[in-house]
Amino acid sequence: MDPKVSTAAATPSPRSLRARDKLMHTAERLYAEHGFANVSIRMIREAAGHRNKSAVQYHFSSRDDLIQAILTRHATAIERHRWPMVQALDTSGGVSVRDWITCVIKPSIEHHIDLGTPSWYGRFLAQAVVEPSLREYATQVSMDTPSWRRLQQLRPSRRDSDPASDPASDLAERHGAMVRLLIVHMSAELETDLAAGRVPPSGAETSWRRLGDDLVTAVHGLSSALLETSSP
Amino acid sequence: MDPKVSTAAATPSPRSLRARDKLMHTAERLYAEHGFANVSIRMIREAAGHRNKSAVQYHFSSRDDLIQAILTRHATAIERHRWPMVQALDTSGGVSVRDWITCVIKPSIEHHIDLGTPSWYGRFLAQAVVEPSLREYATQVSMDTPSWRRLQQLRPSRRDSDPASDPASDLAERHGAMVRLLIVHMSAELETDLAAGRVPPSGAETSWRRLGDDLVTAVHGLSSALLETSSP
C-alpha cells in the first residue's frame, strides 16, 4: 500500500471538511423541515450550493451514511456535556435516583441550548429513531459512549427490587425505551414550537430547562410507579 | 349540478372500494417496513397489483391524502373500542384517575390485538406523528372523536391543583404530549419486536396487554409526579 495514498485519504483538506460539514447541516435542516420522505440527495446537494452531481457521494457513501454522520456528531457533542456530569456523580459518594436521572436527561437539553434557535436536530432525531433502517444506529450511538457506560455502573440500587437494576431484564428494557422516547420526542415537540414561533426565541433557554425539569420529574414518577408494580 | 354525477361520485362500486382498501393496506405495510422515505407511489401501486399508472391517483388525490385515509380508518376502529368504555365510565358514578387513564390507553391496545400479527399500524403511526406535513392530522384525528371529547368532560378533578384539569394550560399540553407519544412509540416498539420475531406470535396478545398495563402504570406515575411539582 502506498503510504502517501493512505495519508491523503485519512487527512481531508480543510476545504473538503467544510464542504462535508455544510452538506451535513443542510441535510439536517431539510430533513427536519420537510421530512425524510420529501428530501432527495439532489435537493441537499443543490441547497448546499454544489453543482457537481456527485458531491454528496464524494463525502458519504449513502443517504444512511450521511444521516449516521450527523447522528454521530451530535452524540459527540452530548458526550462533552455528560462526561463531566458523570464524573461529578462519580466522586459525590451516594448517588440519588434524581441525580442519576438528571445525568440521563440534562446533557441533551444542554446540547439543544447550545444549538440555539432555530435548531433542527430534535426533529431530525425523532424521524431517525422511527425509520426502520436507522433506528438501531440512532439508539446505539448515544449508548456506545464512555459516559453512558459509566452511568450504567453508577445506577443507584434500591432496597426494593429495582426493575432497572438488571439492565438485561425485560422490564428494564421496556422502561429504558419509555425514557428514551420521552426525551427524543418531547425535545422534537419543543423544537417544533420554537421553529413555528409558538415559543419566542427569547424564551428558548427557559423552555429547554423547563422541559428538562419536567422530564426528570416525569421519568422519576414513571420509574417509581413501574417499580412499585413489579415488586413482589 | 347534475345529480347523477354527484350520486355516482358519492357511491363507489364494491370493486372500487376493494381496490382502494388494498392500496391502503399495501401502503401501510410498505411504509411500516421500509419507512416513508423509501416508498414511492409507484412501489405501492405495483405491490398492490395495478398496471394502470394512475391507479393511486384515481383513489387518492395525493400521498398525504392516502396516509390520512389510513389514519382515519384506524381512528374509527379505535373509537369503536373507546365509546363503550367511556359510556361505562359515564354511568359508573365516581371516576378514578386510573380508570380514566385506562380509557385513554386501552382502546388502541385492543385495536392492536384485533389487528393480529404481523401488523403495521404501530410503525406507520409512529412515522406519521413525526413527519412535518402529517403530525397535526395524525394527532387530531383521534381527538376529534365523540368518545375523546366526552372523556375530557369526565376527567376526574382532584383536591390538589390538577395540571391537566384546564386542558388549555401549558402544563396540560406538555403532559398530554408525553402521554400521547408514550402510547404511540411504545406500541411501535412492540410491533417491531413482534414483526422481527423477538416476541413470538403466540405471545402477542399477552405482550399487548402487558404493554397496556405498563402504560397505565407509567402514565399514572408520570402524571402524579408532574402534578405534585406544579402544586403551589
Side-chain angles (χ1 to χ4, degrees):
Chain A
M1 195 178 176
D2 181 344
K4 265 188 287 178
V5 171
S6 87
T7 309
T11 321
S13 69
R15 184 161 165 268
S16 173
L17 281 176
R18 274 198 306 276
R20 187 182 146 89
D21 201 54
K22 175 136 196 207
L23 283 170
M24 286 164 73
H25 275 105
T26 307
E28 180 181 80
R29 175 173 59 79
L30 291 176
Y31 284 137
E33 290 179 344
H34 305 291
F36 280 5
N38 302 310
V39 176
S40 64
I41 289 293
R42 186 178 151 209
M43 286 163 71
I44 295 166
R45 170 174 63 78
E46 290 181 353
H50 285 282
R51 282 195 222 162
N52 181 340
K53 288 194 178 173
S54 54
V56 179
Q57 287 78 357
Y58 175 79
H59 293 280
F60 304 97
S61 64
S62 65
R63 165 189 167 274
D64 283 6
D65 183 40
L66 163 61
I67 292 175
Q68 289 176 1
I70 300 170
L71 290 168
T72 304
R73 195 182 51 184
H74 287 288
T76 306
I78 292 170
E79 177 71 1
R80 280 198 290 270
H81 282 290
R82 186 173 284 122
W83 185 242
M85 290 180 69
V86 171
Q87 278 191 306
L89 208 65
D90 214 345
T91 53
S92 72
V95 174
S96 76
V97 175
R98 197 171 180 94
D99 289 346
W100 193 87
I101 293 172
T102 301
C103 267
V104 170
I105 289 168
K106 287 292 173 74
S108 82
I109 295 288
E110 292 300 324
H111 179 52
H112 272 288
I113 292 170
D114 289 348
L115 291 173
T117 302
S119 65
W120 296 273
Y121 169 57
R123 291 165 285 170
F124 170 83
L125 179 62
Q127 293 176 70
V129 297
V130 300
E131 164 148 340
S133 66
L134 294 164
R135 55 183 305 142
E136 177 104 12
Y137 188 90
T139 306
Q140 279 305 318
V141 69
S142 60
M143 294 163 95
D144 286 343
T145 54
S147 75
W148 189 263
R149 282 191 293 268
R150 182 69 190 127
L151 197 54
Q152 297 319 302
Q153 294 162 349
L154 292 173
R155 191 189 282 273
S157 60
R158 307 180 190 182
R159 244 171 275 148
D160 324 70
S161 69
D162 184 342
S165 63
D166 173 9
S169 84
D170 199 39
L171 182 58
E173 245 189 69
R174 279 141 55 205
H175 170 258
M178 285 193 196
V179 174
R180 194 169 62 242
L181 65 84
L182 269 176
I183 300 170
V184 171
H185 295 289
M186 286 304 292
S187 299
E189 301 238 336
L190 175 53
E191 194 184 81
T192 304
D193 285 343
L194 283 161
R198 283 190 291 271
V199 176
S202 61
E205 186 169 339
T206 310
S207 297
W208 281 113
R209 292 205 195 282
R210 193 183 58 185
L211 173 60
D213 293 339
D214 273 1
L215 283 172
V216 170
T217 302
V219 166
H220 199 171
L222 173 159
S223 305
S224 307
L226 277 178
L227 165 68
E228 211 170 289
T229 322
S230 75
S231 294
Chain B
M1 196 182 175
D2 182 343
K4 266 189 287 182
V5 171
S6 87
T7 310
T11 323
S13 68
R15 184 160 166 268
S16 174
L17 282 176
R18 274 199 305 277
R20 187 181 147 89
D21 201 56
K22 175 135 196 206
L23 283 170
M24 287 163 71
H25 276 107
T26 306
E28 180 181 80
R29 175 173 59 79
L30 291 176
Y31 285 136
E33 290 178 345
H34 306 291
F36 281 4
N38 302 311
V39 176
S40 63
I41 289 291
R42 185 178 152 208
M43 286 162 72
I44 295 167
R45 170 173 65 77
E46 290 181 353
H50 286 281
R51 281 193 224 164
N52 181 339
K53 288 193 177 172
S54 54
V56 178
Q57 286 78 355
Y58 175 80
H59 293 281
F60 304 97
S61 63
S62 65
R63 164 187 168 276
D64 284 6
D65 182 42
L66 162 63
I67 292 175
Q68 289 176 0
I70 300 169
L71 290 168
T72 305
R73 195 182 52 185
H74 286 289
T76 307
I78 292 170
E79 177 71 2
R80 280 197 290 272
H81 282 290
R82 185 173 284 122
W83 186 242
M85 290 180 71
V86 171
Q87 279 190 305
L89 209 64
D90 214 346
T91 54
S92 71
V95 175
S96 76
V97 174
R98 198 172 179 93
D99 289 346
W100 193 87
I101 293 171
T102 302
C103 268
V104 171
I105 289 167
K106 287 292 171 75
S108 82
I109 296 288
E110 292 301 324
H111 178 53
H112 272 289
I113 293 170
D114 289 348
L115 291 173
T117 301
S119 64
W120 297 273
Y121 169 57
R123 290 165 286 170
F124 170 83
L125 180 63
Q127 293 176 72
V129 298
V130 300
E131 164 148 339
S133 66
L134 294 164
R135 55 183 304 142
E136 177 105 13
Y137 188 90
T139 306
Q140 278 306 318
V141 69
S142 61
M143 294 163 95
D144 286 343
T145 53
S147 75
W148 189 263
R149 283 192 293 268
R150 182 69 191 126
L151 198 54
Q152 297 318 302
Q153 295 162 348
L154 292 173
R155 191 189 282 272
S157 61
R158 308 178 190 182
R159 244 171 276 151
D160 323 70
S161 70
D162 183 343
S165 63
D166 172 11
S169 84
D170 200 39
L171 181 58
E173 245 189 69
R174 279 140 56 203
H175 170 258
M178 286 194 195
V179 174
R180 194 169 61 243
L181 65 84
L182 269 176
I183 300 171
V184 170
H185 295 289
M186 287 303 293
S187 299
E189 300 239 336
L190 176 53
E191 194 185 80
T192 303
D193 285 343
L194 282 161
R198 283 190 290 272
V199 176
S202 61
E205 185 169 340
T206 310
S207 297
W208 281 113
R209 292 203 194 283
R210 194 185 55 186
L211 173 60
D213 292 339
D214 274 0
L215 283 172
V216 170
T217 302
V219 165
H220 199 169
L222 173 159
S223 306
S224 307
L226 278 179
L227 166 68
E228 212 170 289
T229 321
S230 76
S231 295

